Amino acid sequence: MSSILNQGHEEGPVAKAIENQTAKLPSDTFLWAAIGAMGVSLALQCLKQKHVSLFVGQWAAPFLLLGIYNKIVKTEGHD
């Protein structure tokens, strides 16, 4: 099925290398990174570091997206 969808469009060497390395990480690594970013953001809010807190708090969503990407690569495979 994936060959039907791909039709000649393969991953480049950089994407393959990244997928090979991130597939070695447990999926919950990204979840804990997101929770950690939220915790650090909360601590920074308590320390009245509003701008830094907002910056760090925005890291949670990319960590979760990377976790989803990691899970897809593990379950569906790559080129």
Side-chain angles (χ1 to χ4, degrees):
M1 180 72 176
S2 64
S3 63
I4 294 170
L5 297 176
N6 199 351
Q7 295 182 355
H9 302 284
E10 295 182 5
E11 296 290 343
V14 174
K16 285 182 184 180
I18 291 170
E19 289 173 358
N20 286 333
Q21 294 303 313
T22 58
K24 296 176 186 176
L25 294 172
S27 297
D28 63 343
T29 301
F30 298 101
L31 176 62
W32 287 111
I35 292 170
M38 290 185 277
V40 170
S41 177
L42 176 63
L44 289 167
Q45 276 287 342
C46 293
L47 295 172
K48 307 289 188 217
Q49 297 290 320
K50 183 178 179 182
H51 293 298
V52 179
S53 170
L54 293 173
F55 176 70
V56 173
Q58 290 179 2
W59 296 353
F63 284 140
L64 292 173
L65 287 170
L66 286 170
I68 291 170
Y69 177 77
N70 183 38
K71 192 68 158 182
I72 290 170
V73 167
K74 283 183 177 181
T75 56
E76 300 294 325
H78 54 81
D79 293 346

